[in-house]
Amino acid sequence: MPSIRDRVKQLVPLQVTNRVRESLVDYGVRTSDRRPLPDFLIIGTKRGGTTSLWNYLIQHPLVPRLFPAWNTKSSHYFEEHWGRGEAWYRSHFPTLRQREALESRHGGPVRVGEAAPLYMFHPLAAQRVAALMPQVKLIVLLRDPVERAYSHWKERSTNGVEPLDFAAALAAEAERTAGERERLIAEPEYFSEPYDWYTYRARGRYLEHLEPWLARFDRAQLLFLPSEDLYRDARATYRRTLDFLGLPAFDLPDFKVYNDRRSAPLEPALRAELTEYYRPHNEALRQRLGLSLDWPDRVA
């Protein structure tokens, strides 16, 4: 059994770490008036390659990481931390001086952003973003909703928050999430874990969740990227994203896949049911956006 002295020694580094973290967060907030708002957001979709695309972008010398360094890709401000206020949000981004230093060093425009796949799905995020950053650029990854739903379930299952098999989880979705969307609208500072965790089927009705964004932002501000294009040719998708953001070309040595989850194939009958379910939603999406989405849901 460790002595009291040993236990104290173990606690001291943790206390120091916590103090350092608190100090950095406080510094970010205190300097928030010197921290411009981001230039772009990757707003979705969950399990559509957002982590991979984000990691490719921050390897570009003109795309700085979030502040402090432990923030991997998102502040989650527009869905989970809305109540913390604008100064807290700004605290996550580099100062104007840091931007200018990067521009001077690399001879190009800095582009700052974050990636939060719940933004597209949250019922209030579009209006919040439009009010604060009406000129922001928006990147939307769209994956075959059948594959997306299955991948979402695999992630939740692996993370230990989903005890049900996929079929049972789909059957339980409506009951688990009943009233959550309405509560998010009625209580602006409320955050719903069930709405984030268990919306396997609902999240794939993409057009339903994109309409608030399409209503508030000029189409030129939105870049729609089929996830399948990213998987097949990450380099080309990365270059297309750089062009959209107005960044100079920058080649990467490789395109590692992040958060990939291998597993047994989806059971055929369940795949067929989901494919049929999403068919009208996908066709409406194609027509509305003018996209050629390579998903196996068209009638032969």
Side-chain angles (χ1 to χ4, degrees):
M1 184 176 186
S3 66
I4 293 177
R5 178 176 294 180
D6 289 336
R7 279 181 283 177
V8 169
K9 286 181 180 179
Q10 292 171 356
L11 286 173
V12 168
L14 178 61
Q15 292 170 345
V16 170
T17 300
N18 287 339
R19 284 202 298 272
V20 170
R21 290 171 69 95
E22 291 169 3
S23 177
L24 286 171
V25 171
D26 180 64
Y27 171 74
V29 173
R30 285 188 289 105
T31 57
S32 62
D33 60 336
R34 288 170 258 164
R35 298 176 181 273
L37 291 165
D39 306 290
F40 72 91
L41 303 174
I42 303 176
I43 64 171
T45 183
K46 184 176 182 64
R47 305 305 301 162
T50 58
T51 300
S52 291
L53 183 59
W54 171 254
N55 278 280
Y56 305 154
L57 287 173
I58 60 175
Q59 292 180 64
H60 194 290
L62 289 165
V63 182
R65 296 171 180 267
L66 299 185
F67 177 86
W70 61 77
N71 290 300
T72 55
K73 68 176 183 176
S74 176
S75 68
H76 297 287
Y77 176 59
F78 294 103
E79 17 91 341
E80 185 173 359
H81 298 301
W82 180 246
R84 293 178 181 267
E86 183 181 336
W88 181 87
Y89 182 53
R90 285 178 178 267
S91 75
H92 291 79
F93 305 107
T95 63
L96 184 59
R97 178 178 293 181
Q98 290 168 327
R99 280 178 174 248
E100 291 172 345
L102 283 176
E103 289 179 355
S104 176
R105 186 181 312 141
H106 299 288
V110 164
R111 295 291 184 259
V112 174
E114 63 167 337
L118 186 53
Y119 284 176
M120 186 177 90
F121 187 56
H122 193 283
L124 299 180
Q127 67 189 60
R128 291 170 173 175
V129 173
L132 185 61
M133 304 183 298
Q135 302 305 315
V136 74
K137 291 195 171 186
L138 304 167
I139 299 168
V140 186
L141 285 153
L142 297 171
R143 182 181 184 181
D144 174 358
V146 177
E147 296 294 342
R148 193 223 67 81
Y150 188 39
S151 182
H152 186 172
W153 170 81
K154 286 187 287 184
E155 180 193 58
R156 296 294 85 197
S157 181
T158 302
N159 290 348
V161 299
E162 179 53 89
L164 304 178
D165 64 34
F166 188 40
L170 287 171
E173 180 174 332
E175 181 178 355
R176 282 170 151 182
T177 62
E180 291 300 297
R181 183 178 178 86
E182 292 75 14
R183 186 176 175 187
L184 286 167
I185 296 170
E187 302 175 30
E189 295 185 18
Y190 174 61
F191 177 72
S192 170
E193 287 182 341
Y195 190 76
D196 183 16
W197 288 356
Y198 302 131
T199 44
Y200 307 114
R201 187 186 296 265
R203 284 208 196 200
R205 300 192 300 265
Y206 296 131
L207 185 56
E208 175 184 320
H209 313 304
L210 284 171
E211 285 292 5
W213 299 89
L214 292 165
R216 290 171 171 85
F217 293 93
D218 189 278
R219 179 62 186 271
Q221 291 175 249
L222 290 114
L223 175 65
F224 295 101
L225 298 171
S227 300
E228 292 74 18
D229 288 357
L230 178 67
Y231 303 149
R232 280 191 296 258
D233 192 345
R235 191 177 304 276
T237 302
Y238 170 69
R239 288 173 177 168
R240 185 179 173 193
T241 306
L242 295 186
D243 288 343
F244 173 70
L245 295 175
L247 285 163
F250 182 79
D251 205 12
L252 302 182
D254 61 70
F255 288 85
K256 171 185 173 182
V257 177
Y258 292 79
N259 287 352
D260 189 26
R261 295 181 186 276
R262 303 290 180 180
S263 69
L266 177 56
E267 193 272 321
L270 196 51
R271 177 182 295 280
E273 186 274 320
L274 285 171
T275 298
E276 189 61 30
Y277 173 81
Y278 285 122
R279 192 185 309 280
H281 298 286
N282 293 347
E283 189 55 35
L285 179 71
R286 290 186 178 99
Q287 294 295 326
R288 179 76 165 88
L289 302 183
L291 294 178
S292 178
L293 297 165
D294 186 19
W295 299 339
D297 60 5
R298 292 184 182 275
V299 176

